[in-house]
Amino acid sequence: MKSKQVTKKIISGKFKNKVLKLPSKTTTRTSKAIVLESFFNTLQFDIIDANFVELFSGSGSIGLEALSRGAKNVVFMERDRDAIKILRENIEQTDPSACEVLAGDTFVNIKSVVKNLQKRDESAYFYIDPPFNIREGMEDIYDKTIELIASLPKERVELIIIEHMTGLEIPENIGAFSLKKSKKFGNTTLTYYM
């Protein structure tokens, strides 16, 4: 028996109610609706005409929600092959011309994202949702993520948002950025850096 495809809908904006497919739970986990809602309520008007970068993007649901709500363009970064296939199908539901998919290692690909922003003299919102470090092979994922954040040039960053396990100790300051606020949703927390 083939398992039923798991889906979710875009909540608001010009692609509202478009159905997005979700990759298998074994390789990625999806952001909860309540987390999404809170995040977009916080950023409501700020992301209009902004650049948005979704790291470890899985199905792309956050970036596509940002696009639906007026982001100018979205860069998706994902390594898992199955997730990328689903991500590309989801992008087809929206505006592919405003989306770019960087397949492969996020920690390597971030350099070209920053280079492109520098070339255009623009900044972006960075939404970072690394795999939980309890997954095999991911033990150092948060250390690497913190190094990645510290490497971002501050003039290219509007805001950094990390979705992480509640209870994870993360520093007040990372590189040029300091913690603005944290919001808990059960076992998931959103932390904002500026």
Side-chain angles (χ1 to χ4, degrees), residues 68-87:
S68 185
R69 292 168 186 247
K72 176 170 66 174
N73 59 49
V74 183
V75 176
F76 298 93
M77 304 171 80
E78 178 55 59
R79 177 172 92 173
D80 183 75
R81 264 203 215 106
D82 297 333
I84 289 166
K85 189 173 164 289
I86 286 174
L87 171 60

Side-chain angles (χ1 to χ4, degrees), residues 122-136:
E122 291 179 354
S123 56
Y125 288 84
F126 290 85
Y127 193 98
I128 306 174
D129 180 10
F132 282 169
N133 60 354
I134 47 183
R135 283 224 335 252
E136 200 178 319

Side-chain angles (χ1 to χ4, degrees), residues 139-162:
E139 295 76 19
D140 63 347
I141 190 87
Y142 285 122
D143 296 338
K144 286 168 75 175
T145 300
I146 285 168
E147 279 167 35
L148 180 153
I149 292 167
S151 77
L152 295 172
K154 67 174 189 287
E155 62 281 2
R156 299 295 154 234
V157 174
E158 286 294 327
L159 187 65
I160 295 166
I161 306 92
I162 311 170

Side-chain angles (χ1 to χ4, degrees), residues 23-180:
S24 94
K25 281 276 197 294
T26 54
T27 54
T28 65
R29 59 187 171 72
T30 180
S31 300
K32 290 197 213 109
I34 184 171
V35 176
L36 262 180
E37 200 78 64
S38 165
F39 170 64
F40 284 106
N41 288 344
T42 302
L43 287 194
Q44 224 161 5
F45 304 109
D46 303 345
I47 58 168
I48 294 170
D49 290 331
N51 297 303
F52 195 90
V53 182
E54 187 182 2
L55 293 79
F56 313 103
S57 53
S59 67
S61 62
I62 305 268
L64 291 172
E65 187 73 44
L67 185 68
S68 185
R69 292 168 186 247
K72 176 170 66 174
N73 59 49
V74 183
V75 176
F76 298 93
M77 304 171 80
E78 178 55 59
R79 177 172 92 173
D80 183 75
R81 264 203 215 106
D82 297 333
I84 289 166
K85 189 173 164 289
I86 286 174
L87 171 60
R88 291 187 193 281
E89 288 173 24
N90 287 341
I91 287 169
E92 286 303 318
Q93 303 278 329
T94 61
D95 178 3
S97 67
C99 298
E100 183 186 357
V101 177
L102 295 180
D105 189 339
T106 296
F107 297 106
V108 174
N109 288 338
I110 192 68
K111 294 180 182 75
S112 66
V113 172
V114 169
K115 242 185 224 130
N116 283 338
L117 288 169
Q118 282 166 332
K119 226 186 331 209
R120 301 196 311 258
D121 193 23
E122 291 179 354
S123 56
Y125 288 84
F126 290 85
Y127 193 98
I128 306 174
D129 180 10
F132 282 169
N133 60 354
I134 47 183
R135 283 224 335 252
E136 200 178 319
M138 294 295 167
E139 295 76 19
D140 63 347
I141 190 87
Y142 285 122
D143 296 338
K144 286 168 75 175
T145 300
I146 285 168
E147 279 167 35
L148 180 153
I149 292 167
S151 77
L152 295 172
K154 67 174 189 287
E155 62 281 2
R156 299 295 154 234
V157 174
E158 286 294 327
L159 187 65
I160 295 166
I161 306 92
I162 311 170
E163 184 178 325
H164 59 87
M165 283 162 56
T166 297
L168 177 77
E169 294 282 323
I170 52 178
E172 273 301 305
N173 298 294
I174 303 177
F177 309 102
S178 48
L179 197 148
K180 196 177 134 205

